[in-house]
Amino acid sequence: NPVVLLVGPPSPSGRMAYVRKANEPVIAAVREEDVAQFLASPATYRDRTVMMFPSARASNIEIVRANGPRLVLSKVDNQWHMVEPVEAKANTESVTNLLQDLALLRAEGILSGTDEWAKAGLDQPAVTVSVTVQPAKVEPEPADTQPATPPDIYTLVLNQMDNKTYAGRPAQTGAAQLVYMLDNKVFEDATAEMHDRQVVQFETDEVIEIGFTSADDQVTFRRSGQEWRYQADPVLPIDAQKVTEAIERFRDLRTHRY
């Protein structure tokens, strides 16, 4: 026979709860935290996996931000490139961080009320991320005429309110729309700069001339063998190390945001 336990209201202190077995008159007091899970919503027992895919097979990422242009990233020869809104090298670190977040994404909590989606602002999300994942490569049989397997697309909408990150998977018609509570790092990575942050790209030993121009002056140094010469006065001794340091600072200049 099933054992039925009736859970009553908490004690006046809120630290204990009253319970009794359905077929017995004896009432017992137990710690409130010991029965809290019995009163939790069904969402508490759901698998907290939000999405899972092999990040190595990701080929495209589309990011739509409410306050910015659509970003499209594409992987070519295992290198990520931005193709929209401009064609440029992608920020490898930012792309890697985002893919690591999404490839095995688990929620810290789940909300399943009928109006939770709108309460979390997911009807007008701050960010929508879609990842295209190619199917595993399978060597075709000689007589195999089956059409190629289409890629999978994993889409996540995110919003942040009161320093809490909420997310959801856009549901099919009639399906429940769960709201996932995520680590704030996921939102930070989804809104990070995806354009390569290096402003200029060149090798130090390729530089033959460097100049600094201001409203009041112009200073130009030109390489001569292993030495640098000040163009306005070529006989003036120049500290080559300081010129090299200036070139390296210029080469390593990075932006926080475009």
Side-chain angles (χ1 to χ4, degrees):
N1 294 327
V3 177
V4 179
L5 184 69
L6 305 179
V7 180
S11 67
S13 69
R15 300 176 62 183
M16 308 295 286
Y18 298 113
V19 300
R20 75 175 177 87
K21 292 176 66 174
N23 59 347
E24 295 182 5
V26 179
I27 297 176
V30 299
R31 294 183 305 174
E32 190 278 334
E33 60 263 29
D34 290 340
V35 296
Q37 190 171 3
F38 302 158
L39 307 177
S41 70
T44 304
Y45 297 89
R46 291 189 66 106
D47 180 8
R48 294 193 177 188
T49 301
V50 181
M51 59 172 57
M52 183 169 58
F53 58 83
S55 60
R57 299 213 304 264
S59 60
N60 289 81
I61 303 173
E62 179 181 300
I63 304 173
V64 178
R65 298 169 180 166
N67 60 348
R70 184 180 75 145
L71 308 179
V72 178
L73 308 168
S74 181
K75 185 168 66 175
V76 179
D77 296 330
N78 289 321
Q79 296 291 325
W80 284 96
H81 299 269
M82 179 179 288
V83 295
E84 290 186 32
V86 296
E87 292 190 6
K89 183 180 178 181
N91 186 328
T92 302
E93 180 181 1
S94 295
V95 176
T96 299
N97 289 342
L98 180 59
L99 284 176
Q100 288 178 342
D101 291 341
L102 302 182
L104 185 55
L105 183 60
R106 290 182 59 82
E108 295 182 343
I110 300 177
L111 307 175
S112 61
T114 55
D115 57 349
E116 296 293 348
W117 189 272
K119 283 183 178 179
L122 297 180
D123 48 351
Q124 293 182 322
V127 188
T128 301
V129 182
S130 296
V131 182
T132 301
V133 179
Q134 298 299 323
K137 291 184 178 180
V138 178
E139 293 297 330
E141 296 293 335
D144 188 0
T145 57
Q146 295 296 320
T149 303
D152 294 316
I153 299 178
Y154 296 82
T155 299
L156 187 74
V157 293
L158 301 106
N159 196 37
Q160 195 169 65
M161 300 172 61
D162 299 325
N163 201 35
K164 295 180 180 178
T165 297
Y166 301 93
R169 301 284 307 277
Q172 301 295 325
T173 303
Q177 288 184 307
L178 297 177
V179 174
Y180 301 100
M181 300 180 66
L182 304 180
D183 188 315
N184 284 341
K185 179 180 181 298
V186 180
F187 189 85
E188 293 169 4
D189 289 342
T191 55
E193 179 58 68
M194 294 295 166
H195 191 297
D196 183 27
R197 291 178 181 169
Q198 190 166 351
V199 177
V200 294
Q201 295 184 3
F202 60 83
E203 298 296 331
T204 303
D205 57 7
E206 295 177 349
V207 177
I208 60 173
E209 184 176 290
I210 182 171
F212 307 93
T213 302
S214 67
D216 302 320
D217 198 6
Q218 179 175 345
V219 177
T220 303
F221 299 101
R222 189 171 185 84
R223 186 194 297 272
S224 176
Q226 298 300 315
E227 297 180 348
W228 288 93
R229 298 192 184 281
Y230 178 38
Q231 290 298 90
D233 186 357
V235 299
L236 182 70
I238 299 297
D239 187 335
Q241 181 60 35
K242 290 184 178 180
V243 177
T244 300
E245 290 173 357
I247 294 172
E248 290 175 346
R249 284 197 296 271
F250 183 34
R251 179 202 61 192
D252 297 336
L253 186 63
R254 282 168 169 74
T255 179
H256 176 69
R257 175 81 63 179
Y258 284 98

